Amino acid sequence: MKIGTLSETELSRHLHGDGLRLRTGPFVVSLRSPIADLAARLAVLYSEFPVAEPDGFADFHVSVRLASGPRRLIKPQAIFDFDGFHPFNPLPGDQAFAMLEWGLNWCVYTHAHEFLIIHGASLERDGKAVLLPAPSGSGKSTLCAALTQRGWRLMSDELILIERESGTVRALARPISLKNASIAVMRRYAPDAVITEPVHDTAKGSVAHMRATQDSIVRMDEPATPHWVIVPRYRADADTHVEPMSKAALFMTLVDNAFNYSLLREQGFSCMAGLTDACSGYRIEYGSLDEAIAALDRLVEHGT
Amino acid sequence: MHRHALMLRLAEEDFAWREWAGEAVIYDAISGDTHRLPAPAGSLLTALRQHGAAALAGAMLPPGETSIGLDEVIDALLALGIVERIALEDRHPV
């Protein structure tokens, strides 16, 4: 069963009751929330996602609710709750869905240590994965979103999951978080894509979410073999420039963007070394999405 | 005596490392830190592993490998503790 097959009433009953069991890649999340705007965005962005068995195992039990008290009437605040623990300060109520997304990321990168987890996007074509490790503001999500419109399957926008034993890349395929100018850029670039109305004045500026392509969701259980690491950097009006990275530089870039490398100690080193062995690394500076994608296609197809 | 003639050996017990194209990345299990050292650090570590202890550092680099910067690399490796000097009395008779 998909979330999109639930009626508004059924979805609300799950979110108000024992929790909606939402499966995203290898994780099942039990989500409760009485916030109508969150439910509406969930229904749009997660419509193609499977609903897990209601009495089955859930990796994470989370809720997003509005703080109680008189403040609720004047300036409501959203609270993210993980097993009774509040890892974040409350945020304005209209940021509830963004808070859910950030909270789910937090759940994964603080708990799922069966994976080496790297901050970045991952996409797949022909069974081969390209990884885009980069911090916020690099243009990573914009390039990732554009690639999903040009034949690449979204595996993840924020968290690259590397299976420690096999070294393969696993998919999460949740909505892509677009910030600030990239929202309008993607509306122009992909006019048929589903992009939510932005929420303004978040810690990351204005934030909107783009629905993952159906192919990305249907195939979210398919792993991929890592082949390329692309470190993107957007600069307005820049000519596209591709620069190969040495393996040692690539290794350190991946380390710098990893969430749990230090925690995994020697196993983290070994897994990161294996990932470095498997991948060719490049830095791409770009000012045009189409040029960046063309450059990436040349790398993938011809290695130049 | 030129620094290239230092007698060195690998002290790998508390370290993991990899070499790519002469460069090295080294994981220090005690501090948890990871270091990247330029070529020929990786070639030197590989040579030390292949030749065992008590070899001449400068003579162990692969043919054609430049020894430019070797002194600095040896200093860095010694500072990390992944290589150590060999005292004369530790040398085996030949």
Side-chain angles (χ1 to χ4, degrees), chain A residues 162-179:
Chain A
I162 306 294
E163 279 194 343
R164 281 163 51 189
E165 293 299 319
S166 66
T168 55
V169 186
R170 292 294 301 271
L172 272 175
R174 297 201 343 249
I176 298 173
S177 173
L178 300 172
K179 290 138 212 143

Side-chain angles (χ1 to χ4, degrees), chain A residues 246-249 251-252 255 261-262 264-266 269-270 272-274 276-277, chain B residues 16-18 20 23-37:
Chain A
S246 75
K247 289 281 191 181
F251 181 99
M252 296 306 286
V255 167
Y261 166 81
S262 296
L264 299 176
R265 300 186 62 80
E266 287 92 339
F269 180 88
S270 175
M272 198 65 95
T276 304
D277 281 332
Chain B
W17 59 273
R18 285 294 307 270
W20 289 286
E23 289 189 272
V25 292
I26 300 167
Y27 176 74
D28 181 340
I30 293 177
S31 68
D33 293 335
T34 302
H35 306 271
R36 173 189 175 192
L37 291 184

Side-chain angles (χ1 to χ4, degrees), chain A residues 238-287:
Chain A
D239 290 332
T240 301
H241 177 69
V242 180
E243 181 184 334
M245 300 173 73
S246 75
K247 289 281 191 181
L250 171 57
F251 181 99
M252 296 306 286
T253 297
L254 292 169
V255 167
D256 288 343
N257 287 283
F259 284 104
N260 60 348
Y261 166 81
S262 296
L263 190 79
L264 299 176
R265 300 186 62 80
E266 287 92 339
Q267 289 183 34
F269 180 88
S270 175
C271 186
M272 198 65 95
L275 181 59
T276 304
D277 281 332
C279 292
S280 302
Y282 302 89
R283 296 186 191 282
I284 293 186
E285 184 175 70
Y286 73 96

